[in-house]
Amino acid sequence: RALRERQILDGVAAGVSEVQALVRRIYVDIPESLYPAAGVSVEAHLRKLEKEEVVSRDGDRWILA
């Protein structure tokens, strides 16, 4: 979980701000058919980080807080 969270934060810091773009960046080794499930996981991480005030949401975009 810690590795995935770091990958998400690195992506957001690099300007990758939408869930599906983060999925494509992080999950390069899985079939695209699994992207929707991966998106659920990424979104859950982002919501956790939002509660911790590490990221914030602007519509469909995520930014570092």
Side-chain angles (χ1 to χ4, degrees), residues 6-52:
R6 177 79 287 175
Q7 291 173 314
I8 291 167
L9 288 172
D10 288 347
V12 173
V16 182
S17 61
E18 295 180 353
V19 170
Q20 288 307 310
L22 287 164
V23 167
R24 285 190 300 276
R25 176 188 170 108
I26 295 167
Y27 292 91
V28 295
D29 57 341
I30 67 168
E32 286 188 33
S33 62
L34 297 177
Y35 281 6
V40 171
S41 175
V42 168
E43 180 110 20
H45 277 282
L46 287 164
R47 283 194 214 131
K48 173 195 170 281
L49 292 166
E50 183 179 36
K51 287 180 185 176
E52 295 170 351

Side-chain angles (χ1 to χ4, degrees), residues 1-2 4 15 24 27 51 53-54 57 60-61 64:
R1 286 186 204 184
R4 188 67 69 218
R24 285 190 300 276
Y27 292 91
K51 287 180 185 176
E53 299 181 352
V54 176
R57 182 181 231 165
D60 289 337
R61 299 177 51 124
L64 294 178

